[in-house]
Amino acid sequence: MARTRIVSAPEPTLRRLPRYLHLLYTLRTGGIAEVSSTFIASELHSDATQVRKDIEFTNIVGHPKTGYIVEELIEAIEVFLSWDSKNYALLAGAGNLGTAMLGYPNFKKYGLIFLAAFDSDEKKIGTKIHDIPVFKMSDMPQLVKEWHIQTGVITVPSQNAQQACDLMVSSGIRGIWNFAPIHLKVPAGVILENSQVSQSLAVLSHKLAVQRGNRL
Amino acid sequence: MARTRIVSAPEPTLRRLPRYLHLLYTLRTGGIAEVSSTFIASELHSDATQVRKDIEFTNIVGHPKTGYIVEELIEAIEVFLSWDSKNYALLAGAGNLGTAMLGYPNFKKYGLIFLAAFDSDEKKIGTKIHDIPVFKMSDMPQLVKEWHIQTGVITVPSQNAQQACDLMVSSGIRGIWNFAPIHLKVPAGVILENSQVSQSLAVLSHKLAVQRGNRL
């Protein structure tokens, strides 16, 4: 597929595209070659117009009769999300969550390749976790440059998160994926994505409370 | 605070409220008693009108001069998200991610209390992980009823996720928090929240790609 200049898409669209992908993978596994926006919408409890609008960002247009070619759509979304190219990453904080992240098998499918982990615990430095070597924090600037690492994942405790973030920024990291439940400051030009489980939990617990309220 | 009937809020608002909370906790720790929507907006690279609209859902109105009382706002958001009441939960899949979830210290702050974990691995059944007992899957229906568990967290591999989900639904679980990167089906009336790290990663990797593209 010819790579055209990627246009910026709104965040809600970006968050929905992986959900379409997961459905499309299931369809592909089931041997289904074509899919309509109506079908995608009904499976995901969404709206067909929204599905079509989201997909238009990837430069794929559905056919009025048959809809989309599953294989084409998968490729277009993967390219649009840049999941077809390698995104070299490091992780700071090799505790419970950090260890789970380093061992998460799906990241490779999304182009995310961990090259290094960093921790302040001397017992972990020099070891490997899920085959990823653990370094001391002060090695970060050099390794970021040598290994062309652009993404930094923060899984340290909250009280150490801003310090880890600052070190990543001064080391040359361009995108920070923060899992610490704290508000971080980054300079302009550095991308900060907060993947706080608390945001997802907020949606769930609020909906549960509304449901309980409606049943009283 | 008198508990009024909770109105339903749009998901983007629900996802932003925890970010306000994290900032408010930081302010409280710093001894700051009042805060304006303009300050919250500038700290979170957001818009003051949006901040005010989001906060209005919690029935808190700011004062034109001083803004919000930090302590009042924290309480209002916690009540609105139902984080001030206990949400008993179980977890299916005590692997790397499941273990990290069971040990995540912040969930208690959000009202989420894990009472039980479930796994198909005989070596794990009967043990405890971060003080949470691990049971065999077939024990789920009885424990959900006895312990009034309403939330189920799915951290099993993708290929087992629908089966775990079905078991939760038939056991009486009302809200499912899915961490498996797969599209799940639930009957009407059951709340499904997908906390797929892939959605957050999609935002980050797309923004990085746009940034790279703009620099070429």
Side-chain angles (χ1 to χ4, degrees):
Chain A
M1 182 176 288
R3 185 178 281 272
T4 52
R5 189 185 167 88
I6 290 178
V7 294
S8 187
E11 284 199 22
T13 294
L14 293 172
R15 286 186 204 283
R16 283 189 293 265
L17 288 172
R19 301 197 57 211
Y20 304 160
L21 259 189
H22 292 137
L23 175 60
L24 292 165
Y25 292 147
T26 307
L27 296 177
R28 179 168 66 181
T29 305
I32 293 163
E34 286 166 358
V35 65
S36 68
S37 55
T38 319
F39 179 83
I40 296 175
S42 85
E43 284 291 299
L44 299 180
H45 308 290
S46 176
D47 171 82
T49 309
Q50 185 174 75
V51 170
R52 277 194 296 275
K53 275 190 185 173
D54 287 343
I55 289 173
E56 270 173 28
F57 278 100
T58 70
N59 284 321
I60 288 278
V61 178
H63 307 276
K65 278 269 182 182
T66 52
Y68 306 99
I69 312 289
V70 169
E71 197 57 49
E72 255 183 45
L73 192 49
I74 287 176
E75 195 186 345
I77 296 176
E78 287 177 342
V79 168
F80 187 72
L81 296 176
S82 199
W83 284 358
D84 62 325
S85 48
K86 288 196 172 65
N87 177 0
Y88 293 120
L90 61 80
L91 177 144
N96 282 320
L97 179 60
T99 299
M101 296 283 290
L102 293 173
Y104 189 64
N106 280 72
F107 284 147
K108 277 190 189 126
K109 266 171 57 180
Y110 309 148
L112 192 78
I113 316 277
F114 282 113
L115 297 183
F118 295 85
D119 205 283
S120 53
D121 182 351
E122 300 244 331
K123 286 194 294 293
K124 288 178 185 165
I125 294 163
T127 67
K128 285 186 174 191
I129 297 176
H130 298 295
D131 266 344
I132 319 285
V134 184
F135 298 93
K136 58 179 189 289
M137 300 296 276
S138 57
D139 286 341
M140 197 186 291
Q142 197 193 336
L143 287 177
V144 167
K145 277 166 200 77
E146 277 178 18
W147 293 353
H148 305 285
I149 297 173
Q150 58 175 349
T151 295
V153 177
I154 295 181
T155 49
V156 297
S158 294
Q159 63 270 26
N160 306 326
Q162 185 64 56
Q163 201 185 348
C165 175
D166 292 345
L167 178 60
M168 286 181 185
V169 170
S170 66
S171 301
I173 287 292
R174 309 295 315 163
I176 289 175
W177 200 11
N178 174 39
F179 286 78
I182 193 171
H183 166 63
L184 292 180
K185 287 188 185 236
V186 294
V190 174
I191 297 159
L192 173 67
E193 169 66 14
N194 290 292
S195 175
Q196 296 166 341
V197 284
S198 58
Q199 292 173 278
S200 182
L201 182 57
V203 176
L204 180 67
S205 46
H206 175 78
K207 285 185 179 173
L208 273 167
V210 171
Q211 194 189 60
R212 273 197 308 273
N214 291 345
R215 282 215 230 108
L216 289 182
Chain B
M1 183 176 290
R3 184 179 283 269
T4 51
R5 187 183 168 89
I6 291 178
V7 294
S8 187
E11 284 199 22
T13 293
L14 294 171
R15 287 186 204 281
R16 283 188 293 264
L17 288 173
R19 301 198 56 211
Y20 304 160
L21 260 188
H22 292 137
L23 175 60
L24 293 165
Y25 291 147
T26 307
L27 296 177
R28 179 168 67 182
T29 305
I32 293 163
E34 288 167 355
V35 65
S36 68
S37 55
T38 318
F39 179 83
I40 296 175
S42 84
E43 284 292 298
L44 301 179
H45 307 290
S46 176
D47 170 82
T49 310
Q50 185 175 73
V51 170
R52 277 194 296 276
K53 276 190 184 174
D54 287 341
I55 289 173
E56 270 173 28
F57 278 100
T58 70
N59 284 322
I60 288 275
V61 178
H63 307 276
K65 277 268 184 184
T66 52
Y68 306 99
I69 312 289
V70 170
E71 197 57 50
E72 254 183 46
L73 193 48
I74 287 176
E75 195 185 344
I77 297 177
E78 286 177 342
V79 168
F80 187 71
L81 296 177
S82 199
W83 284 358
D84 61 326
S85 48
K86 287 195 173 66
N87 176 2
Y88 294 120
L90 62 80
L91 178 142
N96 282 322
L97 179 61
T99 299
M101 296 282 291
L102 294 172
Y104 189 65
N106 281 72
F107 284 147
K108 278 191 189 125
K109 266 169 60 179
Y110 309 148
L112 192 78
I113 316 277
F114 282 112
L115 296 183
F118 294 85
D119 204 284
S120 52
D121 182 351
E122 302 243 329
K123 286 194 292 293
K124 288 177 183 164
I125 295 162
T127 67
K128 285 187 174 191
I129 297 177
H130 297 294
D131 265 345
I132 320 285
V134 183
F135 298 93
K136 58 178 188 290
M137 299 296 277
S138 58
D139 287 341
M140 196 186 292
Q142 196 192 335
L143 288 177
V144 167
K145 277 165 200 75
E146 279 179 15
W147 293 354
H148 306 284
I149 297 173
Q150 57 174 352
T151 296
V153 176
I154 295 181
T155 48
V156 297
S158 294
Q159 63 270 25
N160 306 325
Q162 185 63 56
Q163 201 185 348
C165 175
D166 293 345
L167 178 60
M168 286 180 184
V169 170
S170 67
S171 300
I173 288 291
R174 309 295 316 163
I176 289 175
W177 199 11
N178 174 39
F179 285 79
I182 193 170
H183 166 64
L184 293 179
K185 287 186 185 238
V186 295
V190 174
I191 296 158
L192 173 67
E193 168 66 14
N194 290 292
S195 176
Q196 295 164 341
V197 284
S198 59
Q199 293 173 279
S200 182
L201 182 57
V203 176
L204 180 66
S205 44
H206 176 79
K207 285 185 180 174
L208 273 168
V210 170
Q211 194 188 60
R212 273 197 308 273
N214 291 344
R215 284 217 226 108
L216 291 182

